[in-house]
Amino acid sequence: MRFLLVEDNEGLAKAVLDRLRLDGHVVDHAADISLAEDFSATADYDLILLDIMLPDGDGRNFLKAHRARKDETPVIVLTARSEVSDRVGVLDLGADDYLTKPFDFSELEARCRAVLRRRGGSASNVQRFGGLAFDSLAGTVSVSGETVTLRNRELRLLEIFMSSPDRIFSKAKLVDRLFAYDEDVSENAIEVYVGRLRKHLAGSEVEIATVRGLGYRMSLI
């Protein structure tokens, strides 16, 4: 998954970045609203973690503009305000959830998973496609009942394909979803990861096909 973290506290931001990246997620960090707007205008995110009190304004204004653009990307608000009226206010503005600072990182991870499950219309962490099962919580994959071991980037690539089976993903789109802005990579890296993932799926009823001139598509054989 690709997340956008909008947080000006350097210590907290680093801790959140380290935790989410350890889970294998791609995370871009914006310390103010202006940079957050630039990021959200040029990349597709699965989830936004949004602070309220930012150097150049109120995060709620970013949230309002985000929803006014009909952008349905889920937003979890991170706030030091514990009053009920404040929490109700951000939910009414379009936030999907909120977390009061200070928070436990395991709760942050759990709320991220819950919001993403709701977005996908699922009550479970396990996604299935043919004989393929991917558990996003445990980070495990099984093919026809047999467990296979994937590295973090391979897991996230599989997660992208499983989010939209039969959809064609261009190399550029996969680079956008798999790598943060501060990572210098070329589209050739996608060929490498797709090749590795194909080897893990060999012998299953699922294939990742090359669609000439367009990209890749995961489908049933």
Side-chain angles (χ1 to χ4, degrees):
M1 295 291 183
R2 185 168 187 174
F3 294 176
L4 174 60
L5 171 65
V6 189
E7 170 62 61
D8 66 320
N9 183 300
E10 290 186 9
L12 177 59
K14 184 179 185 306
V16 172
L17 287 169
D18 289 346
R19 185 64 174 252
L20 293 176
R21 286 172 176 170
L22 185 63
D23 290 339
H25 299 296
V26 176
V27 189
D28 292 316
H29 172 224
D32 55 43
I33 294 175
S34 178
L35 186 55
E37 289 175 340
D38 289 342
F39 279 161
S40 61
T42 55
D44 293 327
Y45 292 100
D46 297 291
L47 181 65
I48 297 174
L49 301 173
L50 176 65
D51 187 22
I52 292 298
M53 303 303 293
L54 293 162
D56 56 349
D58 191 320
R60 286 170 293 193
N61 292 329
F62 173 87
L63 177 59
K64 284 191 286 188
H66 179 71
R67 293 305 184 217
R69 293 191 297 268
K70 306 299 181 183
D71 191 326
E72 297 182 356
T73 305
V75 176
I76 297 179
V77 169
L78 310 178
T79 176
R81 299 178 177 180
S82 58
E83 291 81 4
V84 173
S85 59
D86 290 318
R87 300 198 300 269
V88 170
V90 297
L91 291 173
D92 283 342
L93 286 175
D96 296 85
D97 201 352
Y98 63 86
L99 199 55
T100 304
K101 301 177 183 179
F103 50 79
D104 186 270
F105 289 113
S106 59
E107 182 179 5
L108 172 64
E109 292 171 321
R111 287 181 181 267
C112 289
R113 290 193 299 269
V115 166
L116 291 168
R117 284 199 305 270
R118 290 200 298 270
R119 183 194 186 200
S122 173
S124 171
N125 292 306
V126 180
Q127 297 171 275
R128 300 183 187 277
F129 186 63
L132 189 63
F134 170 55
D135 187 328
S136 60
L137 173 58
T140 57
V141 178
S142 65
V143 178
S144 300
E146 296 292 327
T147 300
V148 296
T149 302
L150 274 65
R151 297 177 181 177
N152 268 340
R153 200 80 75 177
E154 296 162 0
L155 280 170
R156 297 311 161 197
L157 178 59
L158 177 61
E159 187 174 38
I160 293 168
F161 282 123
M162 291 197 68
S163 70
S164 300
D166 296 314
R167 173 184 170 183
I168 298 173
F169 289 92
S170 68
K171 288 182 182 180
K173 175 62 70 175
L174 292 175
V175 167
D176 179 67
R177 297 290 299 278
L178 279 175
F179 300 96
Y181 279 112
D182 57 2
E183 295 180 277
D184 185 19
V185 297
S186 71
E187 293 183 3
N188 291 336
I190 297 301
E191 296 179 11
V192 174
Y193 287 112
V194 168
R196 291 176 182 174
L197 189 54
R198 281 172 170 161
K199 290 180 180 178
H200 290 298
L201 301 182
S204 73
E205 59 192 70
V206 177
E207 71 170 358
I208 299 174
T210 299
V211 182
R212 188 177 298 276
L214 296 176
Y216 302 98
R217 176 174 56 205
M218 188 176 79
S219 58
L220 296 178
I221 299 174

